[in-house]
Amino acid sequence: MSEDAERLLAGLTCRITAQDAAGRWAIGNWFFDPLTRPGWLSSGGEDRSEKQLHGYRYHWTLQRNGSPYVEDVAASLTASPASVSGAIAPNAGSHFEVSLGNTTLRLDRRRAPAQQESEVTR
């Protein structure tokens, strides 16, 4: 694991209860949204909170289909004052890529937010 990967992954665990003072994002211990925004679509099955982290050296991926939103995870690693110094996270459409040095942590959502998914099925 690269040194920058260690910093990013440590950042995930250090921010487990982090919440933006202005209410723009929150991590919620990785299982609920303390800001009570509209939730993710869920079949109610056990996979509704599935999380996977995998990678090697400079390239890591976190896949989620529940709380927290990937947008919130990216913000927790890049927004002041909680940011990992030097980390950036441009929105790549269906995912975010948090970069630090030559390391990338890809944040994939496995399900679309409720309002987006319902618009697609109309």
Side-chain angles (χ1 to χ4, degrees):
M1 181 182 300
S2 73
E3 187 175 314
D4 288 334
E6 286 181 11
R7 288 183 59 211
L8 284 175
L9 298 179
L12 291 175
T13 59
C14 290
R15 287 157 180 79
I16 195 166
T17 62
Q19 182 171 334
D20 177 48
R24 293 178 296 239
W25 57 266
I27 301 301
N29 292 314
W30 290 86
F31 65 87
F32 76 103
D33 179 12
L35 302 177
T36 61
R37 295 165 290 183
W40 293 76
L41 284 179
S42 173
S43 64
E46 291 183 29
D47 71 334
R48 66 185 168 85
S49 61
E50 183 178 333
K51 302 160 187 71
Q52 290 183 339
L53 174 66
H54 53 89
Y56 180 74
R57 296 190 47 120
Y58 302 101
H59 303 285
W60 291 82
T61 300
L62 177 66
Q63 295 178 314
R64 329 215 359 84
N65 68 349
S67 288
Y69 300 114
V70 294
E71 295 85 350
D72 290 2
V73 175
S76 77
L77 294 170
T78 60
S80 294
S83 67
V84 172
S85 181
I88 58 170
N91 184 343
S94 65
H95 67 280
F96 283 80
E97 289 186 358
V98 180
S99 297
L100 181 63
N102 10 347
T103 297
T104 302
L105 172 61
R106 181 183 168 117
L107 304 171
D108 282 336
R109 69 172 63 94
R110 298 189 58 163
R111 293 184 192 200
Q115 64 264 22
Q116 287 180 2
E117 192 163 300
S118 62
E119 289 173 6
V120 171
T121 58
R122 287 184 193 168

